Amino acid sequence: MGQKLARVVPTVILLAVVLFGYTAVSDRAFDSWKVEFKTLAVGQGIRADVVDIAFRGLLPDRKVLELDAKQPEFTKTVWEYLASATAPTRIATGQARLRAYAPLLNQLHAQYGVQPEYLLAVWGLESDFGRYTGRHNTIRSLATLTYAGTPERRTFWQKQLLAALRIVQNGDMSLSSMRGSWAGALGHTQFIPTTFEAFAVDFDGDGKRDLVNSIPDALASTANYLAQSGWQRDKPWGTEVRLPSDFDWSKSDPNFWQPSSIWANENAVTLANGAALTTDDNAFVFLPAGHRGPTFLAFHNFSVILKYNNAQNYALAVGHLGDLIQGKPPLLGKWPEHEQPLSHTQKAELQELLSALGYSTDGVDGKIGPNTRAALRRWQLDSGFPADGYATLEQLDMLRALISSD
């Protein structure tokens, strides 16, 4: 949706007009919605005075709607994303924080089992170590999105708004300190309100769980989140490897896990430098840029990072940034920087073409998710290509030609 709303509903008419999936925002209609929402909130145990104070003078934030509607035509490649995520200044800052917060990080490691470097990596990626935690009024953002966001997301936003009001009611954070991203994420490590309620902890002992003003609370809450998501104490997230030239590409599936010893002994997988694998943890072959880019064995903790943010590039960035903060060497594999990334429109076309050829992607949304990668892998296997599930312009052109020849 690249267009902006063309008109605002006259304030004398209390109605909602849906344009391009969004409700046109009328301030008076918004006031009417606030009255209705207050009834809902009070019915769920939130005090009327908390709602009144939070909603007093509150107006919708049209900038938030623009940000929610924005769909970039092109996205960063994994190597561009990783270069930004692991910039030298960020690594240096992470190493400085590793020294400065050593006592706290060691305490968290002992209690939760999460290595300090990976907590720092999350902190670095989420807010650049507290430099950019966001300045949006959390209640205003969530109220705007609940009232006028995309219909398929309003239930989600409503849950977040109710959780944010409970956080205020419980005394963890004041209204004035509840500022964060446009989507309602809070603090140094950017917890959405429902995640805050489930996993935030008061580690500094002041009786409040404050992820904005307390670094101990923020890092401890992140460690608690990862630990409760199944983090394996002191285990790696993954390791860069080298695949043999005759690798069985049917096994390059994120659902195909086996012990590292089997990857080594039966599939001739080695570390990227040619040395033997030194762990026997279960792993799957991870190809973030296809068979032409660096290759990894991803372990259980990689999946745990995905629970924090369900994007493979993010999980790779957390793992690799953490390794670099710890002092490990950079990757040996080279990225296929000559390849042009697919746009949102081209990804949608790829999904349509695969589905038309009998390789269902379970919908067309312009995003290369697990279902699309699985469909692409099936087509690649049947067509004699390395089944890496990585979409390229070359393969999109081939699919177009196949459809045209039918």
Side-chain angles (χ1 to χ4, degrees):
M1 291 182 293
Q3 305 181 45
K4 294 183 179 179
L5 297 179
R7 65 185 67 178
V8 175
V9 182
T11 58
V12 295
I13 302 173
L14 302 182
L15 55 83
V17 179
V18 177
L19 295 174
F20 310 112
Y22 280 81
T23 303
V25 179
S26 157
D27 291 350
R28 187 172 295 181
F30 186 67
D31 285 342
S32 180
W33 169 83
K34 287 194 291 184
V35 173
E36 295 177 1
F37 186 85
K38 176 182 175 181
T39 301
L40 170 68
V42 170
Q44 297 201 16
I46 298 172
R47 297 196 316 271
D49 64 297
V50 171
V51 182
D52 288 340
I53 295 172
F55 280 6
R56 184 177 297 156
L58 196 70
L59 296 174
D61 189 339
R62 291 170 177 80
K63 181 63 175 178
V64 165
L65 290 181
E66 292 174 11
L67 291 168
D68 190 34
K70 187 177 181 181
Q71 176 60 66
E73 181 64 5
F74 288 90
T75 55
K76 286 183 178 181
T77 62
V78 59
W79 50 91
E80 290 170 334
Y81 179 81
L82 208 61
S84 174
T86 61
T89 54
R90 183 165 288 165
I91 297 168
T93 302
Q95 291 173 337
R97 295 289 192 277
L98 186 64
R99 295 187 294 271
Y101 290 94
L104 169 63
L105 292 166
N106 290 336
Q107 274 186 286
L108 297 176
H109 184 205
Q111 182 166 336
Y112 296 104
V114 182
Q115 298 94 303
E117 59 268 23
Y118 300 123
L119 288 180
L120 291 169
V122 171
W123 189 14
L125 287 179
E126 292 293 345
S127 69
D128 199 17
F129 303 102
R131 289 191 179 95
Y132 307 105
T133 58
R135 296 184 177 181
H136 288 271
N137 179 320
T138 300
I139 299 297
R140 186 185 185 196
S141 294
L142 294 174
T144 301
L145 291 164
T146 302
Y147 169 68
T150 54
E152 64 272 15
R153 292 277 282 170
R154 284 182 198 150
T155 298
F156 170 81
W157 297 125
Q158 178 174 287
K159 289 180 180 177
Q160 300 310 316
L161 179 54
L162 290 167
L165 290 169
R166 284 192 295 266
I167 291 168
V168 173
Q169 178 169 282
N170 293 338
D172 283 310
M173 295 181 64
S174 66
L175 282 170
S176 61
S177 67
M178 288 195 75
R179 292 187 172 273
S181 75
W182 66 265
L186 290 161
H188 288 265
T189 51
Q190 295 290 280
F191 273 29
I192 59 174
T194 51
T195 299
F196 182 109
E197 286 193 304
F199 299 105
V201 297
D202 171 24
F203 201 77
D204 61 14
D206 67 352
K208 298 183 295 184
R209 301 180 296 172
D210 187 346
L211 308 193
V212 172
N213 301 301
S214 172
I215 290 173
D217 285 3
L219 294 182
S221 297
T222 301
N224 184 48
Y225 186 112
L226 294 172
Q228 292 202 43
S229 298
W231 187 271
Q232 293 181 346
R233 177 180 289 269
D234 293 334
K235 291 288 188 177
W237 65 271
T239 189
E240 190 183 5
V241 297
R242 182 189 300 172
L243 303 180
S245 58
D246 60 348
F247 182 72
D248 180 358
W249 289 102
S250 68
K251 296 179 179 179
S252 63
D253 184 334
N255 294 314
F256 188 88
W257 292 68
Q258 60 183 8
S260 298
S261 59
I262 295 180
W263 284 118
N265 298 330
E266 297 183 13
N267 299 274
V269 176
T270 67
L271 292 175
N273 61 8
L277 292 169
T278 57
T279 177
D280 198 29
D281 294 328
N282 279 351
F284 72 91
V285 170
F286 175 42
L287 304 163
H291 69 284
R292 295 185 180 94
T295 302
F296 304 88
L297 285 185
F299 304 118
H300 176 78
N301 283 344
F302 181 85
S303 299
V304 174
I305 300 171
L306 287 174
K307 294 178 182 179
Y308 198 96
N309 182 325
N310 192 28
Q312 290 185 340
N313 287 359
Y314 177 87
L316 175 62
V318 167
H320 187 46
L321 177 58
D323 289 344
L324 293 172
I325 288 172
Q326 192 186 22
K328 291 183 178 179
L331 300 177
L332 294 176
K334 302 301 180 184
W335 298 104
E337 296 181 1
H338 62 282
E339 290 186 354
Q340 179 75 24
L342 268 63
S343 70
H344 179 265
T345 302
Q346 290 167 330
K347 291 174 184 177
E349 183 186 3
L350 179 86
Q351 292 172 318
E352 291 174 346
L353 295 175
L354 284 170
S355 297
L357 290 169
Y359 302 90
S360 175
T361 60
D362 293 329
V364 175
D365 61 4
K367 301 176 182 178
I368 306 297
N371 292 333
T372 300
R373 283 193 291 269
L376 181 58
R377 288 186 62 259
R378 292 194 299 272
W379 175 75
Q380 289 170 332
L381 277 174
D382 291 346
S383 303
F385 298 110
D388 55 17
Y390 185 72
T392 65
L393 283 172
E394 176 187 10
Q395 293 183 349
L396 177 60
D397 286 338
M398 295 181 68
L399 290 166
R400 288 168 175 161
L402 288 172
I403 291 294
S404 298
S405 65
D406 287 348

